[in-house]
Amino acid sequence: MDRILLKITGSQLVDGQKDQIEITTIGTMRDDGTAYVIRYTEEQEPPMAPVQVTVRIQKDESAVQITRTGGVESCLIVEKGKRNQCNYDTGFGNLLMGVYGRIIEMTVNADNGSFAFEYDIDVNGAVTSINTVNMVYSKNKSN
């Protein structure tokens, strides 16, 4: 397991309005043979507890699973060309939504790389947002 510096840029397009967030954090990454597994912690506004995030990206670029535990809990499954139903904890209650995967791409090198994926979210069958996530990492040389 390698310690990594991770920069995550996420964007969401809702009703023609684009919103973007960016975080830089320290995490870990390991290769389990079939997938790359990235773990990091998202700090939340007090009094919310921190959220532990695990992102599992299949090496064949077929699927990404994003699991969040702690202050809020959810498990999103993004499969290229498929729709999955997922529970998402908003902090105010659970929401059942559809997640349709569009793009999953990766570039993995010895010391750095990137993962990118795009997916649509629908609620009650109507698309509510188009989402993109870009994760760029570099391995911590001090390990």
Side-chain angles (χ1 to χ4, degrees):
M1 185 172 334
D2 295 309
R3 284 181 48 87
I4 59 172
L5 177 63
L6 184 62
K7 179 179 176 182
I8 304 165
T9 305
S11 67
Q12 188 175 54
L13 183 64
V14 178
D15 294 330
Q17 300 289 328
K18 187 173 184 178
D19 186 30
Q20 185 167 304
I21 62 164
E22 192 173 288
I23 64 170
T24 300
T25 188
I26 299 293
T28 61
M29 183 171 124
R30 70 180 173 87
D31 178 346
D32 76 358
T34 60
Y36 294 103
V37 180
I38 296 173
R39 289 193 168 99
Y40 63 93
T41 300
E42 284 182 1
E43 297 299 327
Q44 304 294 309
E45 292 289 326
M48 296 282 290
V51 175
Q52 286 69 46
V53 181
T54 302
V55 181
R56 181 181 172 84
I57 305 112
Q58 293 298 122
K59 286 183 170 183
D60 66 2
E61 300 180 340
S62 64
V64 175
Q65 179 177 327
I66 307 163
T67 306
R68 298 165 52 90
T69 59
V72 293
E73 299 198 2
S74 64
C75 181
L76 294 181
I77 299 171
V78 179
E79 283 186 277
K80 196 183 297 185
K82 294 184 181 176
R83 181 183 180 273
N84 290 287
Q85 283 194 318
C86 303
N87 273 317
Y88 189 79
D89 183 350
T90 65
F92 301 99
N94 284 329
L95 181 65
L96 182 63
M97 59 189 186
V99 177
Y100 178 81
R102 295 192 172 276
I103 297 168
I104 301 171
E105 298 173 336
M106 69 176 73
T107 302
V108 177
N109 300 306
D111 294 325
N112 56 46
S114 64
F115 302 97
F117 43 100
E118 182 178 305
Y119 57 97
D120 296 347
I121 292 179
D122 68 76
V123 178
N124 294 330
V127 174
T128 57
S129 66
I130 299 168
N131 305 272
T132 59
V133 176
N134 291 297
M135 304 173 78
V136 177
Y137 73 90
S138 58
K139 292 183 181 175
N140 188 336
K141 302 282 193 208
S142 63
N143 289 334

